[in-house]
PDB file of all heavy atoms in Angstrom:
ATOM      1  N   PRO A1176     -42.412 -25.926   1.603  1.00  0.00           N
ATOM      2  CA  PRO A1176     -43.800 -25.417   1.580  1.00  0.00           C
ATOM      3  C   PRO A1176     -44.257 -24.809   2.903  1.00  0.00           C
ATOM      4  O   PRO A1176     -45.150 -23.941   2.898  1.00  0.00           O
ATOM      5  CB  PRO A1176     -44.605 -26.662   1.233  1.00  0.00           C
ATOM      6  CG  PRO A1176     -43.625 -27.626   0.620  1.00  0.00           C
ATOM      7  CD  PRO A1176     -42.287 -27.307   1.187  1.00  0.00           C
ATOM      8  N   ASN A1177     -43.620 -25.176   4.014  1.00  0.00           N
ATOM      9  CA  ASN A1177     -44.091 -24.649   5.313  1.00  0.00           C
ATOM     10  C   ASN A1177     -43.349 -23.369   5.743  1.00  0.00           C
ATOM     11  O   ASN A1177     -43.568 -22.894   6.847  1.00  0.00           O
ATOM     12  CB  ASN A1177     -43.920 -25.714   6.407  1.00  0.00           C
ATOM     13  CG  ASN A1177     -44.767 -26.918   6.093  1.00  0.00           C
ATOM     14  OD1 ASN A1177     -45.825 -26.795   5.482  1.00  0.00           O
ATOM     15  ND2 ASN A1177     -44.284 -28.087   6.493  1.00  0.00           N
ATOM     16  N   PHE A1178     -42.531 -22.836   4.893  1.00  0.00           N
ATOM     17  CA  PHE A1178     -41.739 -21.663   5.259  1.00  0.00           C
ATOM     18  C   PHE A1178     -42.657 -20.434   5.463  1.00  0.00           C
ATOM     19  O   PHE A1178     -43.499 -20.146   4.627  1.00  0.00           O
ATOM     20  CB  PHE A1178     -40.713 -21.368   4.147  1.00  0.00           C
ATOM     21  CG  PHE A1178     -39.854 -20.176   4.404  1.00  0.00           C
ATOM     22  CD1 PHE A1178     -39.175 -20.026   5.597  1.00  0.00           C
ATOM     23  CD2 PHE A1178     -39.686 -19.200   3.418  1.00  0.00           C
ATOM     24  CE1 PHE A1178     -38.352 -18.920   5.846  1.00  0.00           C
ATOM     25  CE2 PHE A1178     -38.876 -18.088   3.651  1.00  0.00           C
ATOM     26  CZ  PHE A1178     -38.237 -17.944   4.869  1.00  0.00           C
ATOM     27  N   GLU A1179     -42.484 -19.759   6.619  1.00  0.00           N
ATOM     28  CA  GLU A1179     -43.347 -18.606   6.935  1.00  0.00           C
ATOM     29  C   GLU A1179     -42.542 -17.332   7.048  1.00  0.00           C
ATOM     30  O   GLU A1179     -41.426 -17.361   7.622  1.00  0.00           O
ATOM     31  CB  GLU A1179     -44.018 -18.842   8.314  1.00  0.00           C
ATOM     32  CG  GLU A1179     -45.152 -19.810   8.299  1.00  0.00           C
ATOM     33  CD  GLU A1179     -45.559 -20.131   9.709  1.00  0.00           C
ATOM     34  OE1 GLU A1179     -45.480 -19.240  10.613  1.00  0.00           O
ATOM     35  OE2 GLU A1179     -45.962 -21.291   9.948  1.00  0.00           O
ATOM     36  N   VAL A1180     -43.094 -16.238   6.533  1.00  0.00           N
ATOM     37  CA  VAL A1180     -42.392 -14.955   6.654  1.00  0.00           C
ATOM     38  C   VAL A1180     -43.366 -13.929   7.255  1.00  0.00           C
ATOM     39  O   VAL A1180     -44.516 -13.803   6.835  1.00  0.00           O
ATOM     40  CB  VAL A1180     -41.915 -14.451   5.272  1.00  0.00           C
ATOM     41  CG1 VAL A1180     -41.171 -13.110   5.422  1.00  0.00           C
ATOM     42  CG2 VAL A1180     -40.985 -15.454   4.595  1.00  0.00           C
ATOM     43  N   GLU A1181     -42.859 -13.199   8.247  1.00  0.00           N
ATOM     44  CA  GLU A1181     -43.608 -12.063   8.790  1.00  0.00           C
ATOM     45  C   GLU A1181     -42.884 -10.802   8.372  1.00  0.00           C
ATOM     46  O   GLU A1181     -41.657 -10.804   8.211  1.00  0.00           O
ATOM     47  CB  GLU A1181     -43.609 -12.118  10.326  1.00  0.00           C
ATOM     48  CG  GLU A1181     -44.531 -13.156  10.882  1.00  0.00           C
ATOM     49  CD  GLU A1181     -44.453 -13.201  12.403  1.00  0.00           C
ATOM     50  OE1 GLU A1181     -43.775 -12.325  13.011  1.00  0.00           O
ATOM     51  OE2 GLU A1181     -45.039 -14.128  12.966  1.00  0.00           O
ATOM     52  N   TYR A1182     -43.627  -9.733   8.212  1.00  0.00           N
ATOM     53  CA  TYR A1182     -43.038  -8.478   7.742  1.00  0.00           C
ATOM     54  C   TYR A1182     -43.086  -7.414   8.835  1.00  0.00           C
ATOM     55  O   TYR A1182     -44.170  -7.040   9.271  1.00  0.00           O
ATOM     56  CB  TYR A1182     -43.718  -8.015   6.461  1.00  0.00           C
ATOM     57  CG  TYR A1182     -43.548  -9.038   5.343  1.00  0.00           C
ATOM     58  CD1 TYR A1182     -44.511 -10.035   5.144  1.00  0.00           C
ATOM     59  CD2 TYR A1182     -42.403  -9.051   4.552  1.00  0.00           C
ATOM     60  CE1 TYR A1182     -44.316 -10.991   4.164  1.00  0.00           C
ATOM     61  CE2 TYR A1182     -42.223 -10.006   3.564  1.00  0.00           C
ATOM     62  CZ  TYR A1182     -43.187 -10.979   3.354  1.00  0.00           C
ATOM     63  OH  TYR A1182     -42.993 -11.942   2.406  1.00  0.00           O
ATOM     64  N   HIS A1183     -41.927  -6.969   9.280  1.00  0.00           N
ATOM     65  CA  HIS A1183     -41.834  -5.941  10.307  1.00  0.00           C
ATOM     66  C   HIS A1183     -40.863  -4.878   9.844  1.00  0.00           C
ATOM     67  O   HIS A1183     -39.682  -4.889  10.251  1.00  0.00           O
ATOM     68  CB  HIS A1183     -41.363  -6.541  11.640  1.00  0.00           C
ATOM     69  CG  HIS A1183     -42.293  -7.573  12.183  1.00  0.00           C
ATOM     70  ND1 HIS A1183     -43.540  -7.283  12.670  1.00  0.00           N
ATOM     71  CD2 HIS A1183     -42.172  -8.921  12.264  1.00  0.00           C
ATOM     72  CE1 HIS A1183     -44.156  -8.393  13.061  1.00  0.00           C
ATOM     73  NE2 HIS A1183     -43.336  -9.423  12.832  1.00  0.00           N
ATOM     74  N   PRO A1184     -41.310  -3.977   8.928  1.00  0.00           N
ATOM     75  CA  PRO A1184     -40.373  -2.991   8.381  1.00  0.00           C
ATOM     76  C   PRO A1184     -39.747  -2.101   9.484  1.00  0.00           C
ATOM     77  O   PRO A1184     -40.461  -1.709  10.411  1.00  0.00           O
ATOM     78  CB  PRO A1184     -41.231  -2.161   7.437  1.00  0.00           C
ATOM     79  CG  PRO A1184     -42.579  -2.743   7.439  1.00  0.00           C
ATOM     80  CD  PRO A1184     -42.654  -3.867   8.406  1.00  0.00           C
ATOM     81  N   ASP A1185     -38.447  -1.834   9.355  1.00  0.00           N
ATOM     82  CA  ASP A1185     -37.794  -0.901  10.290  1.00  0.00           C
ATOM     83  C   ASP A1185     -37.192   0.261   9.515  1.00  0.00           C
ATOM     84  O   ASP A1185     -37.615   0.541   8.371  1.00  0.00           O
ATOM     85  CB  ASP A1185     -36.781  -1.647  11.193  1.00  0.00           C
ATOM     86  CG  ASP A1185     -35.599  -2.203  10.380  1.00  0.00           C
ATOM     87  OD1 ASP A1185     -35.403  -1.815   9.223  1.00  0.00           O
ATOM     88  OD2 ASP A1185     -34.851  -3.020  10.964  1.00  0.00           O
ATOM     89  N   PHE A1186     -36.163   0.916  10.055  1.00  0.00           N
ATOM     90  CA  PHE A1186     -35.586   2.133   9.391  1.00  0.00           C
ATOM     91  C   PHE A1186     -35.078   1.817   8.010  1.00  0.00           C
ATOM     92  O   PHE A1186     -34.918   2.721   7.159  1.00  0.00           O
ATOM     93  CB  PHE A1186     -34.505   2.766  10.263  1.00  0.00           C
ATOM     94  CG  PHE A1186     -33.217   1.991  10.298  1.00  0.00           C
ATOM     95  CD1 PHE A1186     -32.150   2.369   9.510  1.00  0.00           C
ATOM     96  CD2 PHE A1186     -33.079   0.836  11.103  1.00  0.00           C
ATOM     97  CE1 PHE A1186     -30.943   1.664   9.525  1.00  0.00           C
ATOM     98  CE2 PHE A1186     -31.894   0.139  11.114  1.00  0.00           C
ATOM     99  CZ  PHE A1186     -30.828   0.524  10.331  1.00  0.00           C
ATOM    100  N   ARG A1187     -34.757   0.563   7.706  1.00  0.00           N
ATOM    101  CA  ARG A1187     -34.226   0.208   6.408  1.00  0.00           C
ATOM    102  C   ARG A1187     -35.264   0.307   5.289  1.00  0.00           C
ATOM    103  O   ARG A1187     -34.898   0.399   4.107  1.00  0.00           O
ATOM    104  CB  ARG A1187     -33.594  -1.192   6.480  1.00  0.00           C
ATOM    105  CG  ARG A1187     -32.305  -1.197   7.278  1.00  0.00           C
ATOM    106  CD  ARG A1187     -31.833  -2.578   7.629  1.00  0.00           C
ATOM    107  NE  ARG A1187     -32.573  -3.129   8.753  1.00  0.00           N
ATOM    108  CZ  ARG A1187     -32.196  -4.209   9.422  1.00  0.00           C
ATOM    109  NH1 ARG A1187     -31.099  -4.863   9.096  1.00  0.00           N
ATOM    110  NH2 ARG A1187     -32.903  -4.677  10.464  1.00  0.00           N
ATOM    111  N   GLN A1188     -36.577   0.331   5.686  1.00  0.00           N
ATOM    112  CA  GLN A1188     -37.599   0.476   4.664  1.00  0.00           C
ATOM    113  C   GLN A1188     -37.458   1.806   3.917  1.00  0.00           C
ATOM    114  O   GLN A1188     -37.582   1.865   2.677  1.00  0.00           O
ATOM    115  CB  GLN A1188     -38.989   0.408   5.322  1.00  0.00           C
ATOM    116  CG  GLN A1188     -40.150   0.428   4.330  1.00  0.00           C
ATOM    117  CD  GLN A1188     -40.160  -0.770   3.391  1.00  0.00           C
ATOM    118  OE1 GLN A1188     -39.990  -1.915   3.859  1.00  0.00           O
ATOM    119  NE2 GLN A1188     -40.329  -0.567   2.101  1.00  0.00           N
ATOM    120  N   ASP A1189     -37.146   2.875   4.642  1.00  0.00           N
ATOM    121  CA  ASP A1189     -36.965   4.200   4.003  1.00  0.00           C
ATOM    122  C   ASP A1189     -35.835   4.173   3.026  1.00  0.00           C
ATOM    123  O   ASP A1189     -35.902   4.797   1.953  1.00  0.00           O
ATOM    124  CB  ASP A1189     -36.619   5.251   5.082  1.00  0.00           C
ATOM    125  CG  ASP A1189     -37.843   5.826   5.716  1.00  0.00           C
ATOM    126  OD1 ASP A1189     -38.965   5.496   5.241  1.00  0.00           O
ATOM    127  OD2 ASP A1189     -37.719   6.580   6.694  1.00  0.00           O
ATOM    128  N   ILE A1190     -34.757   3.494   3.388  1.00  0.00           N
ATOM    129  CA  ILE A1190     -33.589   3.411   2.468  1.00  0.00           C
ATOM    130  C   ILE A1190     -34.041   2.649   1.211  1.00  0.00           C
ATOM    131  O   ILE A1190     -33.808   3.137   0.087  1.00  0.00           O
ATOM    132  CB  ILE A1190     -32.414   2.675   3.145  1.00  0.00           C
ATOM    133  CG1 ILE A1190     -31.999   3.363   4.453  1.00  0.00           C
ATOM    134  CG2 ILE A1190     -31.238   2.540   2.177  1.00  0.00           C
ATOM    135  CD1 ILE A1190     -30.868   2.665   5.221  1.00  0.00           C
ATOM    136  N   ALA A1191     -34.665   1.499   1.399  1.00  0.00           N
ATOM    137  CA  ALA A1191     -35.089   0.681   0.244  1.00  0.00           C
ATOM    138  C   ALA A1191     -36.057   1.490  -0.634  1.00  0.00           C
ATOM    139  O   ALA A1191     -35.991   1.401  -1.859  1.00  0.00           O
ATOM    140  CB  ALA A1191     -35.736  -0.605   0.721  1.00  0.00           C
ATOM    141  N   ASP A1192     -36.974   2.233  -0.014  1.00  0.00           N
ATOM    142  CA  ASP A1192     -37.952   2.991  -0.781  1.00  0.00           C
ATOM    143  C   ASP A1192     -37.315   4.065  -1.659  1.00  0.00           C
ATOM    144  O   ASP A1192     -37.911   4.499  -2.653  1.00  0.00           O
ATOM    145  CB  ASP A1192     -38.970   3.679   0.159  1.00  0.00           C
ATOM    146  CG  ASP A1192     -39.962   2.685   0.731  1.00  0.00           C
ATOM    147  OD1 ASP A1192     -40.091   1.573   0.170  1.00  0.00           O
ATOM    148  OD2 ASP A1192     -40.615   3.016   1.751  1.00  0.00           O
ATOM    149  N   SER A1193     -36.083   4.477  -1.303  1.00  0.00           N
ATOM    150  CA  SER A1193     -35.448   5.530  -2.089  1.00  0.00           C
ATOM    151  C   SER A1193     -34.647   4.952  -3.261  1.00  0.00           C
ATOM    152  O   SER A1193     -34.103   5.692  -4.042  1.00  0.00           O
ATOM    153  CB  SER A1193     -34.537   6.365  -1.182  1.00  0.00           C
ATOM    154  OG  SER A1193     -33.329   5.659  -0.855  1.00  0.00           O
ATOM    155  N   TRP A1194     -34.541   3.637  -3.343  1.00  0.00           N
ATOM    156  CA  TRP A1194     -33.741   3.010  -4.399  1.00  0.00           C
ATOM    157  C   TRP A1194     -34.595   2.530  -5.558  1.00  0.00           C
ATOM    158  O   TRP A1194     -35.797   2.287  -5.418  1.00  0.00           O
ATOM    159  CB  TRP A1194     -32.975   1.795  -3.819  1.00  0.00           C
ATOM    160  CG  TRP A1194     -31.854   2.192  -2.880  1.00  0.00           C
ATOM    161  CD1 TRP A1194     -31.434   3.455  -2.624  1.00  0.00           C
ATOM    162  CD2 TRP A1194     -31.134   1.316  -2.039  1.00  0.00           C
ATOM    163  NE1 TRP A1194     -30.420   3.414  -1.704  1.00  0.00           N
ATOM    164  CE2 TRP A1194     -30.194   2.111  -1.322  1.00  0.00           C
ATOM    165  CE3 TRP A1194     -31.086  -0.066  -1.841  1.00  0.00           C
ATOM    166  CZ2 TRP A1194     -29.276   1.576  -0.442  1.00  0.00           C
ATOM    167  CZ3 TRP A1194     -30.179  -0.605  -0.944  1.00  0.00           C
ATOM    168  CH2 TRP A1194     -29.281   0.209  -0.239  1.00  0.00           C
ATOM    169  N   PRO A1195     -33.969   2.323  -6.737  1.00  0.00           N
ATOM    170  CA  PRO A1195     -34.720   1.827  -7.900  1.00  0.00           C
ATOM    171  C   PRO A1195     -35.256   0.421  -7.672  1.00  0.00           C
ATOM    172  O   PRO A1195     -34.810  -0.304  -6.780  1.00  0.00           O
ATOM    173  CB  PRO A1195     -33.655   1.765  -8.995  1.00  0.00           C
ATOM    174  CG  PRO A1195     -32.536   2.636  -8.554  1.00  0.00           C
ATOM    175  CD  PRO A1195     -32.533   2.579  -7.067  1.00  0.00           C
ATOM    176  N   SER A1196     -36.232   0.039  -8.539  1.00  0.00           N
ATOM    177  CA  SER A1196     -36.730  -1.344  -8.509  1.00  0.00           C
ATOM    178  C   SER A1196     -36.037  -2.204  -9.547  1.00  0.00           C
ATOM    179  O   SER A1196     -35.893  -3.391  -9.337  1.00  0.00           O
ATOM    180  CB  SER A1196     -38.234  -1.346  -8.834  1.00  0.00           C
ATOM    181  OG  SER A1196     -38.927  -0.581  -7.924  1.00  0.00           O
ATOM    182  N   SER A1197     -35.643  -1.572 -10.631  1.00  0.00           N
ATOM    183  CA  SER A1197     -34.904  -2.352 -11.647  1.00  0.00           C
ATOM    184  C   SER A1197     -33.964  -1.415 -12.410  1.00  0.00           C
ATOM    185  O   SER A1197     -34.178  -0.188 -12.423  1.00  0.00           O
ATOM    186  CB  SER A1197     -35.891  -3.039 -12.626  1.00  0.00           C
ATOM    187  OG  SER A1197     -36.667  -2.048 -13.306  1.00  0.00           O
ATOM    188  N   ILE A1198     -32.939  -2.001 -13.014  1.00  0.00           N
ATOM    189  CA  ILE A1198     -31.835  -1.217 -13.568  1.00  0.00           C
ATOM    190  C   ILE A1198     -31.657  -1.515 -15.059  1.00  0.00           C
ATOM    191  O   ILE A1198     -31.676  -2.666 -15.465  1.00  0.00           O
ATOM    192  CB  ILE A1198     -30.524  -1.611 -12.835  1.00  0.00           C
ATOM    193  CG1 ILE A1198     -30.609  -1.275 -11.323  1.00  0.00           C
ATOM    194  CG2 ILE A1198     -29.280  -0.955 -13.464  1.00  0.00           C
ATOM    195  CD1 ILE A1198     -30.561   0.185 -10.987  1.00  0.00           C
ATOM    196  N   ASP A1199     -31.436  -0.448 -15.834  1.00  0.00           N
ATOM    197  CA  ASP A1199     -31.103  -0.633 -17.267  1.00  0.00           C
ATOM    198  C   ASP A1199     -29.554  -0.629 -17.367  1.00  0.00           C
ATOM    199  O   ASP A1199     -28.907   0.376 -17.128  1.00  0.00           O
ATOM    200  CB  ASP A1199     -31.682   0.555 -18.050  1.00  0.00           C
ATOM    201  CG  ASP A1199     -31.235   0.574 -19.491  1.00  0.00           C
ATOM    202  OD1 ASP A1199     -30.415  -0.289 -19.886  1.00  0.00           O
ATOM    203  OD2 ASP A1199     -31.653   1.461 -20.235  1.00  0.00           O
TER     204      ASP A1199
END
Side-chain angles (χ1 to χ4, degrees):
N1177 298 329
F1178 180 51
E1179 283 170 34
V1180 181
E1181 285 178 7
Y1182 298 93
H1183 299 289
D1185 66 13
F1186 73 100
R1187 289 168 281 194
Q1188 185 64 46
D1189 274 353
I1190 302 177
D1192 285 343
S1193 75
W1194 289 353
S1196 300
S1197 61
I1198 298 288
D1199 173 357

